[in-house]
Short mmCIF file of all heavy atoms in Angstrom, two decimals:
data_model
loop_
_atom_site.label_atom_id
_atom_site.label_comp_id
_atom_site.label_asym_id
_atom_site.label_seq_id
_atom_site.Cartn_x
_atom_site.Cartn_y
_atom_site.Cartn_z
N GLU D 6 49.16 -29.98 73.55
CA GLU D 6 48.51 -29.89 74.84
C GLU D 6 47.23 -29.07 74.75
O GLU D 6 47.11 -28.17 73.91
CB GLU D 6 49.43 -29.23 75.88
CG GLU D 6 50.78 -29.88 76.06
CD GLU D 6 51.86 -29.28 75.16
OE1 GLU D 6 51.50 -28.65 74.13
OE2 GLU D 6 53.05 -29.44 75.46
N SER D 7 46.32 -29.36 75.64
CA SER D 7 45.09 -28.59 75.76
C SER D 7 44.56 -28.74 77.17
O SER D 7 45.01 -29.61 77.93
CB SER D 7 44.06 -29.04 74.73
OG SER D 7 43.70 -30.39 74.96
N GLY D 8 43.58 -27.90 77.51
CA GLY D 8 42.90 -28.05 78.78
C GLY D 8 43.24 -27.00 79.83
O GLY D 8 42.65 -27.00 80.91
N GLY D 9 44.20 -26.14 79.53
CA GLY D 9 44.54 -25.11 80.49
C GLY D 9 43.46 -24.05 80.57
O GLY D 9 42.48 -24.06 79.82
N GLY D 10 43.65 -23.13 81.50
CA GLY D 10 42.68 -22.05 81.64
C GLY D 10 42.84 -21.35 82.96
O GLY D 10 43.83 -21.54 83.68
N LEU D 11 41.86 -20.54 83.25
CA LEU D 11 41.82 -19.78 84.50
C LEU D 11 40.84 -20.46 85.45
O LEU D 11 39.69 -20.75 85.07
CB LEU D 11 41.37 -18.35 84.23
CG LEU D 11 41.10 -17.46 85.44
CD1 LEU D 11 42.38 -17.25 86.24
CD2 LEU D 11 40.52 -16.12 84.99
N VAL D 12 41.28 -20.71 86.66
CA VAL D 12 40.44 -21.39 87.63
C VAL D 12 40.72 -20.80 89.01
O VAL D 12 41.82 -20.30 89.27
CB VAL D 12 40.72 -22.92 87.61
CG1 VAL D 12 42.13 -23.23 88.05
CG2 VAL D 12 39.71 -23.67 88.43
N GLN D 13 39.72 -20.84 89.86
CA GLN D 13 39.91 -20.36 91.22
C GLN D 13 40.63 -21.41 92.06
O GLN D 13 40.57 -22.61 91.76
CB GLN D 13 38.56 -20.04 91.86
CG GLN D 13 37.91 -18.78 91.32
CD GLN D 13 36.67 -18.39 92.11
OE1 GLN D 13 35.97 -19.23 92.64
NE2 GLN D 13 36.41 -17.10 92.19
N ALA D 14 41.29 -20.96 93.09
CA ALA D 14 41.96 -21.88 94.01
C ALA D 14 40.95 -22.91 94.52
O ALA D 14 39.80 -22.57 94.84
CB ALA D 14 42.57 -21.11 95.17
N GLY D 15 41.40 -24.15 94.56
CA GLY D 15 40.52 -25.23 94.95
C GLY D 15 39.84 -25.92 93.79
O GLY D 15 39.23 -26.98 93.96
N GLY D 16 39.92 -25.32 92.62
CA GLY D 16 39.27 -25.88 91.44
C GLY D 16 40.10 -26.96 90.79
O GLY D 16 41.17 -27.35 91.27
N SER D 17 39.60 -27.45 89.66
CA SER D 17 40.23 -28.56 88.95
C SER D 17 40.34 -28.26 87.46
O SER D 17 39.54 -27.50 86.89
CB SER D 17 39.40 -29.84 89.12
OG SER D 17 39.32 -30.24 90.46
N LEU D 18 41.33 -28.86 86.86
CA LEU D 18 41.50 -28.84 85.41
C LEU D 18 42.05 -30.19 84.98
O LEU D 18 42.76 -30.84 85.76
CB LEU D 18 42.49 -27.75 84.98
CG LEU D 18 42.05 -26.29 85.04
CD1 LEU D 18 43.24 -25.37 84.76
CD2 LEU D 18 40.92 -26.01 84.06
N ARG D 19 41.75 -30.59 83.76
CA ARG D 19 42.36 -31.78 83.20
C ARG D 19 43.08 -31.39 81.92
O ARG D 19 42.46 -30.91 80.97
CB ARG D 19 41.34 -32.87 82.91
CG ARG D 19 42.03 -34.19 82.51
CD ARG D 19 41.07 -35.33 82.31
NE ARG D 19 40.44 -35.32 81.00
CZ ARG D 19 39.98 -36.40 80.38
NH1 ARG D 19 40.09 -37.58 80.95
NH2 ARG D 19 39.39 -36.28 79.21
N LEU D 20 44.37 -31.60 81.93
CA LEU D 20 45.19 -31.33 80.76
C LEU D 20 45.31 -32.59 79.91
O LEU D 20 45.37 -33.69 80.44
CB LEU D 20 46.58 -30.85 81.15
CG LEU D 20 46.66 -29.66 82.12
CD1 LEU D 20 48.12 -29.27 82.33
CD2 LEU D 20 45.84 -28.49 81.63
N SER D 21 45.36 -32.39 78.61
CA SER D 21 45.54 -33.50 77.67
C SER D 21 46.77 -33.24 76.81
O SER D 21 47.05 -32.11 76.44
CB SER D 21 44.32 -33.64 76.75
OG SER D 21 43.15 -33.92 77.48
N CYS D 22 47.47 -34.31 76.51
CA CYS D 22 48.64 -34.26 75.64
C CYS D 22 48.45 -35.34 74.58
O CYS D 22 48.52 -36.53 74.90
CB CYS D 22 49.90 -34.51 76.45
SG CYS D 22 51.40 -34.78 75.46
N VAL D 23 48.20 -34.92 73.36
CA VAL D 23 48.00 -35.86 72.26
C VAL D 23 49.30 -35.96 71.47
O VAL D 23 49.83 -34.95 71.01
CB VAL D 23 46.86 -35.42 71.34
CG1 VAL D 23 46.68 -36.42 70.21
CG2 VAL D 23 45.56 -35.28 72.13
N ALA D 24 49.79 -37.18 71.35
CA ALA D 24 51.07 -37.41 70.68
C ALA D 24 50.86 -38.09 69.34
O ALA D 24 49.93 -38.87 69.17
CB ALA D 24 51.97 -38.27 71.56
N SER D 25 51.73 -37.79 68.42
CA SER D 25 51.71 -38.46 67.12
C SER D 25 53.12 -38.54 66.58
O SER D 25 53.98 -37.73 66.94
CB SER D 25 50.80 -37.72 66.13
OG SER D 25 51.25 -36.40 65.94
N GLY D 26 53.36 -39.54 65.73
CA GLY D 26 54.66 -39.65 65.08
C GLY D 26 55.69 -40.46 65.83
O GLY D 26 56.82 -40.60 65.34
N PHE D 27 55.33 -41.02 66.98
CA PHE D 27 56.27 -41.88 67.69
C PHE D 27 55.48 -42.84 68.57
O PHE D 27 54.28 -42.66 68.78
CB PHE D 27 57.28 -41.08 68.53
CG PHE D 27 56.67 -40.32 69.68
CD1 PHE D 27 56.67 -40.85 70.95
CD2 PHE D 27 56.11 -39.07 69.47
CE1 PHE D 27 56.13 -40.14 72.02
CE2 PHE D 27 55.56 -38.35 70.53
CZ PHE D 27 55.56 -38.90 71.80
N THR D 28 56.18 -43.83 69.08
CA THR D 28 55.54 -44.88 69.87
C THR D 28 55.79 -44.66 71.35
O THR D 28 56.93 -44.49 71.77
CB THR D 28 56.11 -46.26 69.46
OG1 THR D 28 55.95 -46.43 68.06
CG2 THR D 28 55.40 -47.38 70.20
N PHE D 29 54.72 -44.72 72.13
CA PHE D 29 54.85 -44.53 73.58
C PHE D 29 55.81 -45.54 74.21
O PHE D 29 56.48 -45.23 75.18
CB PHE D 29 53.48 -44.66 74.25
CG PHE D 29 52.68 -43.40 74.26
CD1 PHE D 29 53.16 -42.23 73.70
CD2 PHE D 29 51.42 -43.38 74.84
CE1 PHE D 29 52.42 -41.06 73.69
CE2 PHE D 29 50.67 -42.21 74.86
CZ PHE D 29 51.16 -41.06 74.29
N ASP D 30 55.87 -46.74 73.65
CA ASP D 30 56.68 -47.80 74.24
C ASP D 30 58.14 -47.38 74.42
O ASP D 30 58.83 -47.89 75.31
CB ASP D 30 56.63 -49.06 73.38
CG ASP D 30 55.29 -49.75 73.48
OD1 ASP D 30 54.50 -49.38 74.37
OD2 ASP D 30 55.04 -50.67 72.68
N ASP D 31 58.61 -46.50 73.56
CA ASP D 31 60.02 -46.12 73.58
C ASP D 31 60.30 -44.90 74.44
O ASP D 31 61.45 -44.43 74.51
CB ASP D 31 60.50 -45.82 72.14
CG ASP D 31 60.39 -47.04 71.24
OD1 ASP D 31 60.54 -48.17 71.75
OD2 ASP D 31 60.17 -46.84 70.02
N TYR D 32 59.25 -44.39 75.10
CA TYR D 32 59.41 -43.13 75.83
C TYR D 32 58.67 -43.14 77.16
O TYR D 32 57.75 -43.92 77.36
CB TYR D 32 58.86 -41.97 74.99
CG TYR D 32 59.68 -41.67 73.77
CD1 TYR D 32 59.41 -42.32 72.56
CD2 TYR D 32 60.73 -40.77 73.82
CE1 TYR D 32 60.19 -42.08 71.45
CE2 TYR D 32 61.51 -40.52 72.70
CZ TYR D 32 61.22 -41.18 71.53
OH TYR D 32 61.99 -40.93 70.42
N ALA D 33 59.10 -42.26 78.02
CA ALA D 33 58.28 -41.82 79.15
C ALA D 33 57.70 -40.47 78.73
O ALA D 33 58.31 -39.73 77.94
CB ALA D 33 59.12 -41.66 80.41
N ILE D 34 56.51 -40.19 79.21
CA ILE D 34 55.87 -38.91 78.93
C ILE D 34 55.76 -38.14 80.23
O ILE D 34 55.28 -38.67 81.24
CB ILE D 34 54.48 -39.09 78.31
CG1 ILE D 34 54.57 -39.90 77.02
CG2 ILE D 34 53.85 -37.72 78.05
CD1 ILE D 34 55.35 -39.24 75.90
N GLY D 35 56.21 -36.92 80.19
CA GLY D 35 56.18 -36.11 81.39
C GLY D 35 55.42 -34.82 81.19
O GLY D 35 55.38 -34.27 80.08
N TRP D 36 54.81 -34.36 82.27
CA TRP D 36 54.24 -33.02 82.30
C TRP D 36 55.22 -32.15 83.08
O TRP D 36 55.61 -32.48 84.20
CB TRP D 36 52.87 -33.02 82.99
CG TRP D 36 51.77 -33.50 82.12
CD1 TRP D 36 51.20 -34.73 82.09
CD2 TRP D 36 51.07 -32.72 81.14
NE1 TRP D 36 50.19 -34.78 81.16
CE2 TRP D 36 50.09 -33.56 80.55
CE3 TRP D 36 51.17 -31.40 80.70
CZ2 TRP D 36 49.23 -33.13 79.54
CZ3 TRP D 36 50.32 -30.98 79.69
CH2 TRP D 36 49.36 -31.83 79.13
N PHE D 37 55.58 -31.04 82.48
CA PHE D 37 56.49 -30.09 83.09
C PHE D 37 55.80 -28.73 83.18
O PHE D 37 54.83 -28.48 82.45
CB PHE D 37 57.78 -29.97 82.25
CG PHE D 37 58.56 -31.25 82.18
CD1 PHE D 37 58.22 -32.25 81.29
CD2 PHE D 37 59.64 -31.46 83.02
CE1 PHE D 37 58.94 -33.44 81.22
CE2 PHE D 37 60.38 -32.63 82.96
CZ PHE D 37 60.02 -33.63 82.07
N ARG D 38 56.33 -27.89 84.03
CA ARG D 38 55.76 -26.55 84.10
C ARG D 38 56.88 -25.53 84.29
O ARG D 38 57.94 -25.84 84.84
CB ARG D 38 54.73 -26.43 85.22
CG ARG D 38 55.27 -26.54 86.64
CD ARG D 38 54.11 -26.57 87.63
NE ARG D 38 54.59 -26.65 89.00
CZ ARG D 38 53.79 -26.83 90.05
NH1 ARG D 38 52.47 -26.98 89.87
NH2 ARG D 38 54.29 -26.88 91.27
N ALA D 39 56.60 -24.34 83.82
CA ALA D 39 57.55 -23.26 83.93
C ALA D 39 56.77 -21.98 84.21
O ALA D 39 55.82 -21.66 83.49
CB ALA D 39 58.37 -23.12 82.65
N ALA D 40 57.18 -21.29 85.24
CA ALA D 40 56.58 -20.01 85.60
C ALA D 40 57.66 -18.94 85.52
O ALA D 40 58.84 -19.24 85.68
CB ALA D 40 55.98 -20.08 86.99
N PRO D 41 57.26 -17.70 85.27
CA PRO D 41 58.25 -16.62 85.20
C PRO D 41 59.11 -16.58 86.46
O PRO D 41 58.60 -16.62 87.58
CB PRO D 41 57.39 -15.37 85.07
CG PRO D 41 56.13 -15.85 84.44
CD PRO D 41 55.90 -17.22 85.01
N GLY D 42 60.42 -16.54 86.27
CA GLY D 42 61.32 -16.44 87.41
C GLY D 42 61.63 -17.75 88.09
O GLY D 42 62.34 -17.76 89.10
N THR D 43 61.10 -18.84 87.58
CA THR D 43 61.38 -20.14 88.20
C THR D 43 61.94 -21.09 87.15
O THR D 43 61.73 -20.92 85.95
CB THR D 43 60.12 -20.77 88.82
OG1 THR D 43 59.19 -21.10 87.77
CG2 THR D 43 59.46 -19.80 89.79
N GLU D 44 62.63 -22.10 87.63
CA GLU D 44 63.16 -23.10 86.72
C GLU D 44 62.05 -24.07 86.33
O GLU D 44 61.11 -24.30 87.08
CB GLU D 44 64.31 -23.86 87.37
CG GLU D 44 65.55 -23.02 87.60
CD GLU D 44 66.73 -23.85 88.05
OE1 GLU D 44 66.60 -25.08 88.15
OE2 GLU D 44 67.80 -23.26 88.30
N ARG D 45 62.23 -24.65 85.18
CA ARG D 45 61.31 -25.71 84.76
C ARG D 45 61.36 -26.85 85.75
O ARG D 45 62.44 -27.22 86.24
CB ARG D 45 61.73 -26.20 83.37
CG ARG D 45 60.84 -27.27 82.79
CD ARG D 45 61.47 -27.87 81.56
NE ARG D 45 62.54 -28.78 81.89
CZ ARG D 45 63.49 -29.15 81.03
NH1 ARG D 45 63.50 -28.65 79.81
NH2 ARG D 45 64.43 -30.01 81.39
N GLU D 46 60.20 -27.43 86.04
CA GLU D 46 60.19 -28.58 86.94
C GLU D 46 59.27 -29.66 86.40
O GLU D 46 58.25 -29.37 85.77
CB GLU D 46 59.76 -28.17 88.35
CG GLU D 46 58.41 -27.51 88.47
CD GLU D 46 58.12 -27.03 89.89
OE1 GLU D 46 58.95 -27.23 90.79
OE2 GLU D 46 57.03 -26.46 90.09
N GLY D 47 59.66 -30.88 86.67
CA GLY D 47 58.84 -32.02 86.29
C GLY D 47 57.71 -32.19 87.29
O GLY D 47 57.97 -32.29 88.48
N VAL D 48 56.50 -32.17 86.81
CA VAL D 48 55.32 -32.26 87.67
C VAL D 48 54.88 -33.70 87.84
O VAL D 48 54.63 -34.16 88.96
CB VAL D 48 54.18 -31.41 87.09
CG1 VAL D 48 52.92 -31.57 87.92
CG2 VAL D 48 54.58 -29.96 86.99
N ALA D 49 54.77 -34.42 86.75
CA ALA D 49 54.34 -35.81 86.79
C ALA D 49 54.83 -36.51 85.54
O ALA D 49 54.84 -35.92 84.46
CB ALA D 49 52.82 -35.92 86.89
N CYS D 50 55.25 -37.75 85.70
CA CYS D 50 55.74 -38.51 84.56
C CYS D 50 55.19 -39.92 84.61
O CYS D 50 54.93 -40.45 85.69
CB CYS D 50 57.27 -38.57 84.57
SG CYS D 50 58.07 -37.00 84.21
N ILE D 51 55.04 -40.49 83.44
CA ILE D 51 54.58 -41.87 83.34
C ILE D 51 55.47 -42.60 82.36
O ILE D 51 55.79 -42.09 81.29
CB ILE D 51 53.09 -41.92 82.92
CG1 ILE D 51 52.57 -43.35 82.94
CG2 ILE D 51 52.87 -41.27 81.55
CD1 ILE D 51 51.05 -43.43 82.86
N SER D 52 55.89 -43.79 82.76
CA SER D 52 56.75 -44.60 81.93
C SER D 52 55.97 -45.80 81.43
O SER D 52 55.21 -46.40 82.18
CB SER D 52 57.97 -45.06 82.73
OG SER D 52 58.73 -46.00 82.00
N PHE D 53 56.16 -46.16 80.19
CA PHE D 53 55.43 -47.29 79.60
C PHE D 53 56.30 -48.54 79.52
O PHE D 53 55.78 -49.65 79.58
CB PHE D 53 54.92 -46.90 78.21
CG PHE D 53 53.98 -45.74 78.25
CD1 PHE D 53 54.44 -44.45 78.05
CD2 PHE D 53 52.63 -45.92 78.51
CE1 PHE D 53 53.59 -43.36 78.10
CE2 PHE D 53 51.76 -44.84 78.56
CZ PHE D 53 52.24 -43.56 78.37
N SER D 54 57.60 -48.37 79.40
CA SER D 54 58.48 -49.54 79.33
C SER D 54 58.69 -50.13 80.71
O SER D 54 58.86 -51.34 80.87
CB SER D 54 59.82 -49.14 78.71
OG SER D 54 60.45 -48.14 79.49
N ASP D 55 58.67 -49.30 81.72
CA ASP D 55 58.83 -49.71 83.10
C ASP D 55 57.68 -49.07 83.86
O ASP D 55 57.82 -47.94 84.33
CB ASP D 55 60.17 -49.24 83.65
CG ASP D 55 60.26 -49.38 85.15
OD1 ASP D 55 59.52 -50.22 85.72
OD2 ASP D 55 61.07 -48.66 85.77
N PRO D 56 56.51 -49.74 83.93
CA PRO D 56 55.32 -49.06 84.44
C PRO D 56 55.56 -48.38 85.77
O PRO D 56 55.73 -49.03 86.80
CB PRO D 56 54.31 -50.21 84.57
CG PRO D 56 54.75 -51.21 83.57
CD PRO D 56 56.25 -51.13 83.58
N SER D 57 55.60 -47.07 85.74
CA SER D 57 55.82 -46.31 86.95
C SER D 57 55.34 -44.89 86.73
O SER D 57 55.21 -44.44 85.58
CB SER D 57 57.32 -46.30 87.32
OG SER D 57 58.07 -45.62 86.34
N THR D 58 55.08 -44.22 87.81
CA THR D 58 54.71 -42.82 87.75
C THR D 58 55.55 -42.04 88.76
O THR D 58 56.04 -42.60 89.75
CB THR D 58 53.22 -42.59 88.06
OG1 THR D 58 52.92 -43.16 89.33
CG2 THR D 58 52.33 -43.22 87.00
N TYR D 59 55.71 -40.78 88.46
CA TYR D 59 56.46 -39.87 89.33
C TYR D 59 55.60 -38.64 89.56
O TYR D 59 54.90 -38.19 88.64
CB TYR D 59 57.77 -39.46 88.66
CG TYR D 59 58.38 -38.21 89.27
CD1 TYR D 59 59.30 -38.29 90.30
CD2 TYR D 59 58.02 -36.95 88.80
CE1 TYR D 59 59.84 -37.15 90.86
CE2 TYR D 59 58.56 -35.80 89.35
CZ TYR D 59 59.47 -35.91 90.38
OH TYR D 59 60.00 -34.79 90.93
N TYR D 60 55.66 -38.11 90.77
CA TYR D 60 54.98 -36.86 91.08
C TYR D 60 55.92 -35.95 91.87
O TYR D 60 56.61 -36.39 92.79
CB TYR D 60 53.71 -37.11 91.90
CG TYR D 60 52.64 -37.84 91.14
CD1 TYR D 60 52.48 -39.21 91.26
CD2 TYR D 60 51.78 -37.15 90.28
CE1 TYR D 60 51.50 -39.89 90.56
CE2 TYR D 60 50.79 -37.82 89.57
CZ TYR D 60 50.66 -39.18 89.72
OH TYR D 60 49.70 -39.85 89.01
N LEU D 61 55.87 -34.69 91.52
CA LEU D 61 56.54 -33.67 92.31
C LEU D 61 55.90 -33.66 93.69
O LEU D 61 54.68 -33.81 93.82
CB LEU D 61 56.36 -32.32 91.61
CG LEU D 61 57.05 -31.10 92.18
CD1 LEU D 61 58.56 -31.22 92.04
CD2 LEU D 61 56.54 -29.86 91.44
N ASP D 62 56.71 -33.52 94.72
CA ASP D 62 56.17 -33.59 96.08
C ASP D 62 54.99 -32.65 96.30
O ASP D 62 54.00 -33.01 96.95
CB ASP D 62 57.27 -33.28 97.11
CG ASP D 62 58.21 -34.44 97.33
OD1 ASP D 62 57.89 -35.57 96.89
OD2 ASP D 62 59.27 -34.23 97.95
N SER D 63 55.08 -31.46 95.76
CA SER D 63 54.05 -30.46 96.02
C SER D 63 52.72 -30.76 95.35
O SER D 63 51.71 -30.11 95.66
CB SER D 63 54.54 -29.07 95.60
OG SER D 63 54.77 -29.04 94.21
N VAL D 64 52.68 -31.74 94.45
CA VAL D 64 51.42 -32.05 93.77
C VAL D 64 50.89 -33.43 94.16
O VAL D 64 49.79 -33.81 93.74
CB VAL D 64 51.54 -31.97 92.24
CG1 VAL D 64 52.15 -30.63 91.83
CG2 VAL D 64 52.33 -33.13 91.65
N LYS D 65 51.65 -34.17 94.95
CA LYS D 65 51.20 -35.50 95.36
C LYS D 65 49.87 -35.42 96.08
O LYS D 65 49.67 -34.58 96.95
CB LYS D 65 52.24 -36.17 96.25
CG LYS D 65 53.46 -36.66 95.50
CD LYS D 65 54.47 -37.30 96.45
CE LYS D 65 55.70 -37.78 95.69
NZ LYS D 65 56.72 -38.34 96.60
N GLY D 66 48.95 -36.31 95.71
CA GLY D 66 47.64 -36.31 96.31
C GLY D 66 46.67 -35.36 95.64
O GLY D 66 45.46 -35.43 95.90
N ARG D 67 47.16 -34.49 94.78
CA ARG D 67 46.29 -33.54 94.07
C ARG D 67 46.27 -33.79 92.56
O ARG D 67 45.23 -33.58 91.92
CB ARG D 67 46.75 -32.10 94.34
CG ARG D 67 46.76 -31.70 95.79
CD ARG D 67 47.04 -30.21 95.95
NE ARG D 67 48.36 -29.80 95.47
CZ ARG D 67 48.56 -28.88 94.54
NH1 ARG D 67 47.53 -28.27 93.97
NH2 ARG D 67 49.80 -28.55 94.18
N PHE D 68 47.37 -34.19 92.00
CA PHE D 68 47.47 -34.41 90.56
C PHE D 68 47.57 -35.90 90.27
O PHE D 68 48.16 -36.65 91.04
CB PHE D 68 48.71 -33.72 89.99
CG PHE D 68 48.70 -32.22 89.98
CD1 PHE D 68 47.73 -31.49 90.65
CD2 PHE D 68 49.68 -31.52 89.30
CE1 PHE D 68 47.71 -30.11 90.64
CE2 PHE D 68 49.70 -30.14 89.27
CZ PHE D 68 48.71 -29.44 89.95
N THR D 69 47.00 -36.29 89.14
CA THR D 69 47.09 -37.68 88.70
C THR D 69 47.41 -37.73 87.22
O THR D 69 46.72 -37.09 86.42
CB THR D 69 45.77 -38.43 88.95
OG1 THR D 69 45.42 -38.35 90.33
CG2 THR D 69 45.90 -39.90 88.55
N ILE D 70 48.45 -38.47 86.87
CA ILE D 70 48.79 -38.66 85.47
C ILE D 70 48.25 -40.00 85.02
O ILE D 70 48.28 -40.98 85.76
CB ILE D 70 50.33 -38.57 85.26
CG1 ILE D 70 50.67 -38.52 83.76
CG2 ILE D 70 51.06 -39.70 85.96
CD1 ILE D 70 52.12 -38.17 83.47
N SER D 71 47.70 -40.02 83.82
CA SER D 71 47.15 -41.26 83.27
C SER D 71 47.32 -41.24 81.76
O SER D 71 47.68 -40.22 81.18
CB SER D 71 45.68 -41.42 83.65
OG SER D 71 44.90 -40.37 83.10
#
Side-chain angles (χ1 to χ4, degrees):
E6 304 92 340
S7 63
L11 172 64
V12 64
Q13 288 188 328
S17 298
L18 287 172
R19 188 176 82 154
L20 306 184
S21 299
C22 169
V23 180
S25 60
F27 66 96
T28 304
F29 275 0
D30 288 348
D31 298 329
Y32 291 89
I34 302 295
W36 281 99
F37 297 82
R38 67 187 181 188
T43 66
E44 292 189 3
R45 182 191 76 199
E46 58 185 359
V48 176
C50 291
I51 185 166
S52 171
F53 299 94
S54 60
D55 168 23
S57 65
T58 56
Y59 162 91
Y60 293 97
L61 184 67
D62 282 348
S63 63
V64 308
K65 286 179 180 177
R67 301 188 296 123
F68 291 10
T69 303
I70 190 169
S71 63

